[in-house]
Short mmCIF file of all heavy atoms in Angstrom, two decimals:
data_model
loop_
_atom_site.label_atom_id
_atom_site.label_comp_id
_atom_site.label_asym_id
_atom_site.label_seq_id
_atom_site.Cartn_x
_atom_site.Cartn_y
_atom_site.Cartn_z
N ASP X 102 116.04 118.92 66.59
CA ASP X 102 115.08 119.88 65.94
C ASP X 102 114.72 120.96 67.01
O ASP X 102 113.86 121.83 66.66
CB ASP X 102 113.82 119.14 65.45
CG ASP X 102 113.06 120.01 64.55
OD1 ASP X 102 113.51 120.83 63.79
OD2 ASP X 102 111.75 119.81 64.65
N ALA X 103 115.17 120.79 68.22
CA ALA X 103 114.65 121.78 69.26
C ALA X 103 115.09 123.23 69.00
O ALA X 103 116.30 123.37 68.73
CB ALA X 103 115.21 121.31 70.75
N PRO X 104 114.17 124.19 69.07
CA PRO X 104 114.60 125.49 68.83
C PRO X 104 115.55 125.95 69.88
O PRO X 104 115.60 125.52 71.01
CB PRO X 104 113.22 126.34 68.89
CG PRO X 104 112.17 125.33 68.77
CD PRO X 104 112.85 124.00 69.28
N LYS X 105 116.23 127.00 69.50
CA LYS X 105 117.24 127.62 70.55
C LYS X 105 116.48 128.16 71.76
O LYS X 105 115.54 128.86 71.71
CB LYS X 105 118.02 128.73 69.93
CG LYS X 105 119.12 129.27 70.66
CD LYS X 105 120.07 130.16 69.91
CE LYS X 105 121.20 130.64 70.77
NZ LYS X 105 122.12 131.45 70.02
N GLY X 106 116.97 127.76 72.91
CA GLY X 106 116.32 128.26 74.19
C GLY X 106 115.19 127.39 74.60
O GLY X 106 114.66 127.67 75.58
N ARG X 107 114.97 126.21 73.96
CA ARG X 107 113.94 125.28 74.41
C ARG X 107 114.62 123.94 74.56
O ARG X 107 115.64 123.52 73.99
CB ARG X 107 112.88 125.29 73.37
CG ARG X 107 112.17 126.52 73.31
CD ARG X 107 110.95 126.42 72.40
NE ARG X 107 110.12 127.60 72.57
CZ ARG X 107 108.88 127.64 73.29
NH1 ARG X 107 108.50 126.52 73.95
NH2 ARG X 107 108.24 128.74 73.38
N LYS X 108 113.89 123.16 75.31
CA LYS X 108 114.28 121.73 75.55
C LYS X 108 113.16 120.75 75.31
O LYS X 108 111.97 121.15 75.45
CB LYS X 108 114.95 121.56 76.94
CG LYS X 108 113.98 121.84 78.05
CD LYS X 108 114.68 121.65 79.37
CE LYS X 108 113.69 122.03 80.47
NZ LYS X 108 114.40 122.03 81.71
N VAL X 109 113.39 119.51 75.00
CA VAL X 109 112.45 118.54 74.75
C VAL X 109 112.01 117.96 76.09
O VAL X 109 112.81 117.70 77.03
CB VAL X 109 113.14 117.41 73.90
CG1 VAL X 109 112.08 116.33 73.68
CG2 VAL X 109 113.64 117.92 72.59
N LYS X 110 110.51 117.89 76.17
CA LYS X 110 109.99 117.41 77.39
C LYS X 110 108.85 116.44 77.09
O LYS X 110 108.24 116.76 75.92
CB LYS X 110 109.51 118.56 78.29
CG LYS X 110 110.61 119.39 78.90
CD LYS X 110 111.40 118.59 79.89
CE LYS X 110 110.77 118.60 81.28
NZ LYS X 110 111.55 118.00 82.26
N HIS X 111 108.50 115.64 77.91
CA HIS X 111 107.29 114.84 77.86
C HIS X 111 107.08 114.17 76.49
O HIS X 111 105.96 114.26 75.84
CB HIS X 111 106.10 115.74 78.18
CG HIS X 111 106.23 116.46 79.44
ND1 HIS X 111 106.23 115.80 80.63
CD2 HIS X 111 106.38 117.78 79.65
CE1 HIS X 111 106.40 116.82 81.58
NE2 HIS X 111 106.44 118.02 81.01
N CYS X 112 108.02 113.40 76.19
CA CYS X 112 107.96 112.65 74.91
C CYS X 112 107.09 111.29 75.21
O CYS X 112 107.35 110.64 76.12
CB CYS X 112 109.31 112.32 74.29
SG CYS X 112 110.06 113.62 73.51
N ARG X 113 106.11 111.10 74.38
CA ARG X 113 105.32 109.90 74.54
C ARG X 113 105.43 109.07 73.23
O ARG X 113 105.47 109.56 72.14
CB ARG X 113 103.90 110.16 74.70
CG ARG X 113 103.67 110.68 76.10
CD ARG X 113 102.15 110.82 76.21
NE ARG X 113 101.89 112.16 77.02
CZ ARG X 113 101.02 113.05 76.77
NH1 ARG X 113 100.05 112.74 75.94
NH2 ARG X 113 100.89 114.02 77.56
N THR X 114 105.40 107.70 73.36
CA THR X 114 105.45 106.85 72.27
C THR X 114 104.00 106.79 71.67
O THR X 114 103.07 106.30 72.21
CB THR X 114 105.91 105.43 72.70
OG1 THR X 114 107.12 105.50 73.18
CG2 THR X 114 105.98 104.54 71.45
#
Side-chain angles (χ1 to χ4, degrees):
D102 194 38
K105 188 173 184 176
R107 293 188 170 257
K108 60 183 174 181
V109 179
K110 293 294 277 187
H111 309 293
C112 286
R113 287 188 220 142
T114 303

